[in-house]
Amino acid sequence: MKALCEFDMSELTELVKSLGQPPYRAKQLMKHIVAYDSYDEYTDIPKAFISRLKEEFYDRPLVEKTRVVASDGAVRYLFQAADGDLLESVFLPHSYGNSVCVSCQVGCAMGCVFCASGHYGLKRDLSAGEILAQVLYIARDTRTAGGVNKIVMMGSGSPLANYDNTIKFVRLVNSSDGINIGMRSISISTCGIPKRMEDLAEDGFTGTLSLSLHAATDEKRKQIMKIASHHSVQSLVQALRKFFDATGRRVVIEYILIGGFNDTAADVEELKKLLKGLCCHVNLIPLNPTENCDLKPPTKKQAYSFCDKLNAAGVSATVRRSMGSDAAGACGQLKNRTVEAKRRG
Ligand code: SAH
């Protein structure tokens, strides 16, 4: 069974027509899909039509199971999908506007050694509606705190490995008929699939494209990311260049700092060489601890010194402020809770 939030305006128009309703119902429904979590709140729609919709469509495809609030105000939500699968999203309040970090898959196939999301592999893709439902639910829940202004596709899963649903989600969340989040306020983070990175611009994505680079040479990258055996760092930078040429949007390089592994002066030089002439900003993320990973973060001093060296070398860089870590909601800490729950019985 599908959820109503899977539909865009033209699909909703078709749907209401096929169910013998007047065309204005589509607009009414779209407004309610954005504003409400339950059919019970659709009070200006005839009861008989609601009953008909209930037979075929969920009002929301996810329900909240629990939430954990971190000391910095970040909130990690655990949702359950209609098939019982569990997924997580994180609300990140900022003085300049609030972000939501959404998941796009249950688990992840990429198996990066530093990230908890891929530890049990991939369970399944989320549909566009299941990704959107995370935003709609959290936007409503946080209305009094200003709601949601920005989306980062940085939760569990690899957006470009679930490409069609990612693009559909971006269109739905950006639509002026729907919740209308500006394209410039949407970020997609990828471990690097060059062909798909290029497709994004062609398919109308002009938000921020972030690449999880984490090492400037193939040799080093292969030690921590499985995907590095398939795509070279050169091919990734080439894809970023094409994205920039097509969209004019500065790209982001995400670079986890792992103490003693990728934070030396030689790494600064390699990064400088690799990123030469690319319009980018480097986000340095000191490694967050996860289970089953014995890599260490650098000290704060080392992280800032690496950042200073990059800037001195002409590479724009900042150290990302980590949020939500005491709620296990920081970068790399979201897990495949479905598999975890089964293992624990
Ligand atoms: N699946 C997406 C988003 C991942 S989360 C991707 O692959 O890009 C957002 C960022 O946090 C990514 O750059 C990711 O590599 C990074 N990250 C993953 N695990 C981390 C950890 N333990 N500490 C710090 N950053 C981490």
Side-chain angles (χ1 to χ4, degrees), residues 84-289:
D85 278 342
L86 300 169
L87 56 123
E88 294 176 306
S89 326
V90 187
F91 175 72
L92 302 152
H94 305 289
S95 55
Y96 51 86
N98 303 323
S99 310
V100 163
C101 173
V102 294
S103 291
C104 65
Q105 294 178 317
V106 179
C108 182
M110 296 304 164
C112 303
V113 297
F114 44 79
C115 179
S117 303
H119 187 65
Y120 296 121
L122 175 68
K123 173 91 195 297
R124 71 168 173 93
D125 287 338
L126 294 180
S127 69
E130 287 172 318
I131 308 172
L132 181 65
Q134 301 168 53
V135 179
L136 297 178
Y137 184 88
I138 294 173
R140 183 178 192 197
D141 190 47
T142 58
R143 243 176 336 181
T144 52
V148 171
N149 314 99
K150 203 172 167 244
I151 314 270
V152 295
M153 294 196 77
M154 295 190 184
S156 286
S158 183
L160 301 190
N162 183 15
Y163 187 80
D164 293 347
N165 290 327
T166 290
I167 283 292
K168 176 147 198 210
F169 161 70
V170 167
R171 288 186 184 143
L172 289 171
V173 85
N174 174 241
S175 165
S176 55
D177 298 316
I179 189 167
N180 199 9
I181 304 275
M183 192 59 92
R184 298 196 165 202
S185 304
I186 305 173
S187 292
I188 294 182
S189 176
T190 176
C191 57
I193 305 174
K195 166 78 175 73
R196 289 312 198 182
M197 290 159 71
E198 290 167 27
D199 290 346
L200 279 175
E202 223 160 88
D203 287 323
F205 177 71
T206 54
T208 302
L209 178 57
S210 301
L211 170 69
S212 295
L213 183 67
H214 307 325
T217 63
D218 291 323
E219 190 203 350
K220 207 168 246 195
R221 200 163 185 262
K222 280 181 198 165
Q223 293 176 44
I224 51 173
M225 298 175 79
K226 268 194 330 202
I227 189 93
S229 305
H230 301 279
H231 305 294
S232 68
V233 291
Q234 288 298 344
S235 70
L236 298 176
V237 170
Q238 182 62 16
L240 289 175
R241 274 188 222 286
K242 288 191 182 156
F243 180 82
F244 175 78
D245 289 344
T247 62
R249 300 281 294 149
R250 183 176 77 158
V251 296
V252 171
I253 303 290
E254 294 163 289
Y255 191 93
I256 297 181
L257 287 171
I258 302 169
F261 174 72
N262 64 357
D263 63 346
T264 67
D267 295 298
V268 172
E269 281 312 306
E270 293 287 2
L271 268 176
K272 180 183 166 187
K273 211 164 70 187
L274 179 68
L275 303 179
K276 193 163 187 265
L278 177 71
C279 182
C280 70
H281 179 78
V282 179
N283 250 331
L284 300 169
I285 322 172
L287 181 80
N288 291 310

